[in-house]
């Protein structure tokens, strides 16, 4: 069983462009990480499967390798940007808890690691959990947007069924009525 | 967002006769509850839907009301027994953490409440989460046994899709290779 050890737990949070995964990360930082723990956070971003382009676009013009390279570069920049934002949130939550909630100071002994992988998020997340010896997987309930979900099915459902470690599925409330308490 | 407040969080653990829900409870106690928190634990046992008996059994004898009452009494005793066992585990985990893991003493300020409800566990758990203002729902990944699952579908999947609060799905490892770390 995953548990509190001197070495801490390996907690993976699946991050994407959506607010829900950022909410899940914030929830995890506030609710799952113990004071003075040595938990290790892994922020995983999965770049969607590459679209298989026809050699010609709709107007008959050949896709140049420059365009493909530009799209790939853009995709990488999005991934870097999303993970950078997620890392900043780890710091923000630390500060809030240090300054305001003195009784539960969150000392970030926790190391934060970011990873970018390519492929179908359902498979990539499950494989990463196993490969990296993750103790807890945290994810938003939807992930990867309405349109992609229609094709891929629910990523969180798939992972909950297929990974061996505990899975925490966090939904972002539709209203802010719950506040931040 | 559910979070650490002076009043603690309301954490519901769905308990049944299986080892997996007890594993989920133990995991929750070790991994989710903060030192000195005022978290409130709700252990929910859902008695399966009553079988609709024919007035006559297969041999043509009338079911007496005594038999029905005996079966109902037995069902209640099972529910009481399961929840009593679950409450004892809360105490056991407290003791282990107090005596062995001194650095993370788990002071059970946490109150433990037990509840027994009747009906389809999928609906009952979702309704209870909403009715009781639960902040986190914890459950085993299967629950309710292989045969019942074949009829009811996965309880945890249903709840993960339908409740509004974060859901933690804990699987019991098939081997004990992971130990208790």
């Amino acid at each position: 069983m995953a548990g509190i050890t001197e070495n801490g737990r390996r907690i993976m949070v699946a991050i994407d462009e959506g607010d829900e995964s950022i909410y899940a990360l914030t929830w995890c930082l506030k609710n799952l990480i113990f004071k003075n723990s040595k938990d290790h956070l892994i922020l995983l971003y999965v770049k969607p499967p590459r679209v298989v382009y026809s050699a010609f676009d709709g107007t008959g013009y050949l896709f140049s390798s420059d365009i493909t390279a530009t799209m790939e570069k853009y995709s990488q920049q999005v991934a870097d940007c999303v993970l950078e934002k997620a890392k900043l949130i780890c710091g923000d939550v630390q500060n809030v808890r240090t300054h305001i909630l003195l009784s539960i100071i969150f000392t970030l002994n926790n190391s934060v690691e970011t990873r970018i992988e390519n492929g179908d998020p359902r498979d990539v997340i499950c494989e990463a959990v196993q490969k990296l010896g993750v103790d807890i997987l945290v994810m938003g309930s939807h992930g990867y947007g309405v349109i992609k979900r229609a094709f891929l099915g629910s990523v969180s459902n798939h992972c909950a069924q297929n990974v061996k470690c505990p899975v925490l599925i966090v939904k972002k409330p539709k209203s802010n009525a719950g506040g931040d308490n």
Side-chain angles (χ1 to χ4, degrees), chain A residues 36-170:
Chain A
N36 291 328
S37 75
K38 292 180 179 171
D39 291 338
H40 180 71
L41 265 184
I42 302 167
L43 308 180
L44 173 68
Y45 178 92
V46 184
K47 284 200 285 185
R50 289 186 191 177
V51 177
V52 180
Y53 298 106
S54 161
F56 294 90
D57 70 5
T59 58
Y61 288 98
L62 188 66
F63 264 123
S64 74
S65 60
D66 283 356
I67 293 177
T68 314
T70 302
M71 293 167 78
E72 179 58 32
K73 187 179 168 191
Y74 172 75
S75 165
Q76 183 65 37
Q77 284 172 342
V78 169
D80 291 339
C81 176
V82 167
L83 286 179
E84 193 57 35
K85 179 181 161 194
K87 279 192 82 169
L88 283 173
I89 284 170
C90 296
D92 285 349
V93 173
Q94 176 186 24
N95 289 335
V96 167
R97 296 179 81 168
T98 304
H99 294 307
I100 299 174
L101 304 171
L102 286 174
S103 62
I104 50 161
I105 293 172
F106 172 60
T107 51
L108 199 63
N109 292 332
N110 321 86
S111 54
V112 181
E113 170 189 350
T114 57
R115 297 182 73 93
I116 299 172
E117 305 276 357
N118 290 287
D120 182 331
R122 297 177 303 172
D123 301 329
V124 172
I125 293 171
C126 292
E127 285 163 14
V129 163
Q130 185 163 4
K131 190 173 68 179
L132 303 174
V134 168
D135 296 308
I136 311 165
L137 171 63
V138 180
M139 55 199 316
S141 67
H142 293 154
Y144 303 99
V146 175
I147 296 172
K148 288 179 198 161
R149 195 164 66 250
F151 290 97
L152 298 174
S154 165
V155 179
S156 57
N157 267 10
H158 179 88
C159 293
Q161 285 172 8
N162 290 284
V163 302
K164 291 178 180 168
C165 72
V167 179
L168 177 64
I169 299 171
V170 184

Side-chain angles (χ1 to χ4, degrees), chain A residues 17-34:
Chain A
E17 301 87 346
D19 284 346
E20 193 159 58
S21 67
I22 294 300
Y23 183 86
L25 170 63
T26 312
W27 195 97
C28 164
L29 291 165
K30 288 186 178 180
N31 284 274
L32 197 60
I33 295 181
F34 288 85

